[in-house]
């Protein structure tokens, strides 16, 4: 089974992101707007049973921190993905590192660029048009992060939450 | 903000349910296949902060139990909803009652009929045709339930998990 780890931002940010995702992101129906902390990795039940206490340990080592969004950005020329850029935040990097060390799969494919995707798999012309217009808009959010979620993927490509991990609140 | 409480069955059952929901349930993109434990209720942040410890307490009072599915059924003539019937299970009733007493909103609209919806909002002719065919098939599942999930609803009608509660594993 495929698992992944993500942060869901507040309803406010999710609603804003969805207003774009609805039109520009084919993953819109598969998962709510999110910040990916760990890309999809394959694991069986016994591996997950072993990782859950590790996830609790990691959650308990963290304290709530703030994330800030100031602008829209894109991964062009690598991919035509448009996203809300999450400004550099030491705690987010720390959390990412914890989830890619020790017992966790070391599935780092790229440098960690925290973001909330709002458009992807766009044709080049579409991309330029849409990104050009989005660049003109203001995106300003700041909010507290105090948890992350372990999800698994269904056959249709959608993701279901298996368990949430709240900073400093897990029973070990 | 609107909240609700649900159990997500295993990937196996979710995949089976989705193979029907994809065609017959307009809520397919809004939430994974689930057993509703508490219908949507309105709550502000401070109410939720108060309810989360209650949900942990309820989870800690429960022990994992099995659910069984033996057949497909429907809510006709009330609504043209087709569902996988979850066989009567005392622990499920107990959990339902706990989530509708004490500090929890008493939003019981119907008798509790635990089920996983696989089709709804069908025209009468569609309904008869689809339900007739489903009735011929065998649906047999038995599996353990050891958690429930608190979700909130976004503007587009979709649901995001806020927190999971695992029986006997919550820090109070």
């Amino acid at each position: 089974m495929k698992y992944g780890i993500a942060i869901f931002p507040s309803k406010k940010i999710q609603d804003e992101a969805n207003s774009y995702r609805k039109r520009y992101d084919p993953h819109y129906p598969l998962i709510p707007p999110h910040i990916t902390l760990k890309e999809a990795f394959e694991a069986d039940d016994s591996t997950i049973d072993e990782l859950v206490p590790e996830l609790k340990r990691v959650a308990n080592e963290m304290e709530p921190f703030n994330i800030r969004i100031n602008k829209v950005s894109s991964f062009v020329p690598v991919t035509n993905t448009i996203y809300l850029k999450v400004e550099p935040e030491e705690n987010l990097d720390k959390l990412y590192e914890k989830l890619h060390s020790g017992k966790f799969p070391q599935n780092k494919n790229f440098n960690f660029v925290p973001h909330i995707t709002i458009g992807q798999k766009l044709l080049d012309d579409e991309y330029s048009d849409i990104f050009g217009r989005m660049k003109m808009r203001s995106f300003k959010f700041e909010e507290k992060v105090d948890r992350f979620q372990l999800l698994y993927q269904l056959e249709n490509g959608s993701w279901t939450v298996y368990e949430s991990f709240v900073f400093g609140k897990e029973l070990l």
Side-chain angles (χ1 to χ4, degrees), chain A residues 130-142:
Chain A
I130 294 163
F131 188 59
R133 280 185 286 126
M134 282 187 183
K135 267 296 200 195
M136 315 281 285
R137 291 198 195 135
S138 163
F139 296 92
K140 287 251 182 247
F141 297 98
E142 175 160 3

Side-chain angles (χ1 to χ4, degrees), chain A residues 12 29 63 141:
Chain A
K12 190 177 165 180
E63 284 186 11
F141 297 98

Side-chain angles (χ1 to χ4, degrees), chain A residues 44-100:
Chain A
D44 55 24
D45 291 359
S46 70
T47 307
I48 289 301
D49 288 347
E50 221 179 289
L51 288 184
V52 164
E54 290 299 308
L55 291 166
K56 291 183 176 185
R57 186 184 51 73
V58 167
N60 279 351
E61 287 169 6
M62 298 295 298
E63 284 186 11
F65 58 84
N66 273 21
I67 54 165
R68 284 165 303 117
I69 291 166
N70 290 326
K71 64 170 185 175
V72 71
S73 189
S74 100
F75 287 129
V76 162
V78 181
T79 65
N80 282 354
T81 299
I82 300 172
Y83 59 87
L84 301 179
K85 180 178 162 62
V86 178
E87 294 299 320
E89 164 55 47
E90 207 185 329
N91 286 296
L92 202 51
D93 292 341
K94 214 162 68 180
L95 179 53
Y96 176 84
E97 289 304 329
K98 285 176 191 286
L99 298 175
H100 292 83

Side-chain angles (χ1 to χ4, degrees), chain A residues 1 9 11 31 35 37 52 57 87 105 109 118-119 130 132 134 136 149 152-153:
Chain A
M1 205 140 98
K11 174 176 181 295
I31 186 168
I35 302 167
L37 280 177
V52 164
R57 186 184 51 73
E87 294 299 320
N109 296 319
I118 55 174
I130 294 163
M134 282 187 183
M136 315 281 285
Q149 316 262 359
Y152 56 89
Q153 194 169 31

Side-chain angles (χ1 to χ4, degrees), chain A residues 100-111:
Chain A
H100 292 83
S101 59
K103 289 192 179 169
F104 294 106
Q106 321 281 306
N107 60 334
K108 287 183 185 178
N109 296 319
F110 315 99
N111 286 329

